[in-house]
Amino acid sequence: MDGSAIVILLTLRDLRHRFVRFAVVTVLGAVVFTLLFVMTGLVEQFHREPVDTVDALGASTWVLPRGISGPFTAAAPFSTDAVAVVDADEFAPVIVGRAAVAQDGSEDVVLIGHEVDALGSPPIDEGRPVAAPGELVADDSLDVDIGDRVTIADTELAVVGLTSDSTLLAGIPLVFTELTQAQDLVYDNRGVVSAVLASGEVRAIPQGTVATSAAGVADSALEPLDGAIASVDLVRVLLWIVAAVIIGAVVYLSALERLRDFAVLKAIGASNRSLLGSLALQAVLVALLAVALAAVLQLFLAPAFPLKVSVPTRAFWQLPLIAVGVALLAGLAGMRRVANSDPALAFSGASG
C-alpha cells in the first residue's frame, strides 16, 4: 500500500472512531469562522461605505475651504459669491451638515442640501427627487416612508423619496433637501455654502479653496473610523488564534491517543511522511468543514447584525486558504510528537 493510501485510510479511520469529538470541534471552529466572516464584512463595509456614498453624489471633484479635513468631518462654510469663480464642465454648490431628524424619537443624520436636479442629488430608489423647499429624500436606513413628515431644527419636511446605501461614519444615514432649505436649517444664512461639487475638468477655483478628488473626500470620511477598524482587526487576529488553538488541540490529542498505532506502523515500515500526512489531512479537513459551515451560518447572522455587513466575495476563498495554513501550523505540535515517537513503543506495554 502506498503512502497516500495509508494517509487516507488512517485519517478516515480516526475521523470515524472519534466522530463526536471532531463534530464538536468543527462546530466550534465554525462559530469562530462565522465571526471572522462577519468581522471581515464589517471592515469591508467601513471602507466601502464612504466610497459608495460620495460616488452617488455624482461629483469627481469637491471644491472645499483650505485647511479642513473633509466636508463630512469639519465645517467651514464660504460665501456663495465664490461659487461664481468656479470654472468647470459642470458644478453646483452644496450644504453639508449634521442634524437630527425627529419622528417618534430623534436620530442623527448627515444633511445634504443641493440644487434641484444638479450634482449632489442622489439616485432615487422609490418616490421622486426633491423639487422644492420643504421636501426631503432619505436613506432607507432611516426607517421613514414616503409621505411621512419629519422635523429638522423645528422645521417640518415631507419625505418624497428614498435612496439606499447613502450612509457615513458606520451607518449614519444621509438626508437630502433643496439647497436654500438646507442653508436655513444648518446655518440660518443663505449666503454661505459648504462646498462646490464639480465634474469633468476643473479650470478655476476661488482663492482660499482646494480641489479635492472624490476619492480624497471618501478617505477623509473614513478617518474617524480608524480606531474602530483597528479594533475589529485586533479581534480578527484574536479569533484566528482561537481557531488555531481549537484545531491544534484536537490534532495534538489525536496524536497522543494514536502514538502506539503510529509506532506499530513505523515498525512495519510506514514512513514519517505518510503518518504526518494523516494528521495534516485531519487538521485540514476539520478547518475546511468548519469554514464551509461558517459560510452558511454567516448568511443568517449578518442580516441580524446592528451594522451593515458586506462580506466580500474574496473572503470565500481567502478564509479557506488561511484556515488551511492555520490548521497546518496548529497541528505542528502533534506532528512533531508523532515524528519523534519511537517504533519500539509498539512492543512495550506503555501507550505514550
Side-chain angles (χ1 to χ4, degrees), residues 134-156:
E135 297 180 344
L136 191 77
V137 166
D139 184 75
D140 55 14
S141 64
L142 189 59
D143 195 24
V144 295
D145 296 316
I146 294 174
D148 287 352
R149 303 192 72 83
V150 300
T151 301
I152 300 178
D154 298 326
T155 300
E156 192 175 70

Side-chain angles (χ1 to χ4, degrees), residues 11-336:
T11 303
L12 293 178
R13 174 185 174 276
D14 196 51
L15 288 174
R16 185 168 57 250
H17 182 64
R18 298 175 175 84
F19 175 78
V20 174
R21 176 193 295 174
F22 285 107
V24 170
V25 169
T26 299
V27 171
L28 290 175
V31 172
V32 175
F33 288 128
T34 299
L35 293 176
L36 278 167
F37 270 115
V38 172
M39 294 298 169
T40 300
L42 274 178
V43 172
E44 177 72 11
Q45 176 61 20
F46 286 157
H47 284 91
R48 183 185 298 176
E49 180 188 54
V51 174
D52 290 345
T53 297
V54 170
D55 286 349
L57 299 181
S60 57
T61 303
W62 290 58
V63 180
L64 302 169
R66 188 181 302 276
I68 71 167
S69 57
F72 301 107
T73 55
F78 56 93
S79 171
T80 53
D81 294 337
V83 177
V85 179
V86 176
D87 183 11
D89 293 344
E90 183 182 1
F91 65 95
V94 293
I95 288 286
V96 180
R98 296 293 290 271
V101 168
Q103 188 205 38
D104 300 328
S106 181
E107 183 170 351
D108 290 337
V109 298
V110 176
L111 177 66
I112 305 290
H114 60 86
E115 294 180 338
V116 174
D117 295 328
L119 293 174
S121 180
I124 302 299
D125 290 346
E126 185 179 349
R128 62 172 177 81
V130 167
E135 297 180 344
L136 191 77
V137 166
D139 184 75
D140 55 14
S141 64
L142 189 59
D143 195 24
V144 295
D145 296 316
I146 294 174
D148 287 352
R149 303 192 72 83
V150 300
T151 301
I152 300 178
D154 298 326
T155 300
E156 192 175 70
L157 304 170
V159 178
V160 298
L162 297 175
T163 186
S164 61
D165 295 325
S166 293
T167 60
L168 285 172
L169 303 173
I172 297 178
L174 269 64
V175 296
F176 302 83
T177 190
E178 191 269 338
L179 179 65
T180 59
Q181 180 77 79
Q183 288 171 322
D184 293 340
L185 293 173
V186 177
Y187 294 114
D188 195 22
N189 182 353
R190 295 192 177 183
V192 296
V193 295
S194 300
V196 177
L197 304 185
S199 65
E201 183 183 358
V202 178
R203 291 173 287 272
I205 60 174
Q207 281 190 332
T209 65
V210 293
T212 304
S213 68
V217 170
D219 288 343
S220 71
L222 185 64
E223 287 177 2
L225 298 180
D226 285 347
I229 293 172
S231 298
V232 173
D233 285 338
L234 176 60
V235 171
R236 288 201 290 176
V237 172
L238 294 175
L239 287 172
W240 278 116
I241 294 174
V242 171
V245 169
I246 291 172
I247 297 172
V250 73
V251 172
Y252 190 74
L253 285 175
S254 178
L256 288 180
E257 293 172 353
R258 297 166 62 193
L259 277 179
R260 191 179 185 86
D261 294 340
F262 286 134
V264 170
L265 290 169
K266 277 189 175 184
I268 62 176
S271 66
N272 262 341
R273 180 178 178 181
S274 61
L275 301 180
L276 296 181
S278 171
L279 285 176
L281 181 59
Q282 193 174 89
V284 169
L285 284 175
V286 170
L288 290 179
L289 286 172
V291 172
L293 181 56
V296 176
L297 292 177
Q298 64 86 23
L299 295 175
F300 299 95
L301 180 60
F305 216 72
L307 297 176
K308 184 175 180 179
V309 177
S310 301
V311 179
T313 303
R314 65 179 182 277
F316 293 95
W317 61 264
Q318 286 181 342
L319 257 67
L321 285 179
I322 298 173
V324 167
V326 168
L328 292 174
L329 287 173
L332 283 179
M335 296 178 200
R336 183 176 180 182

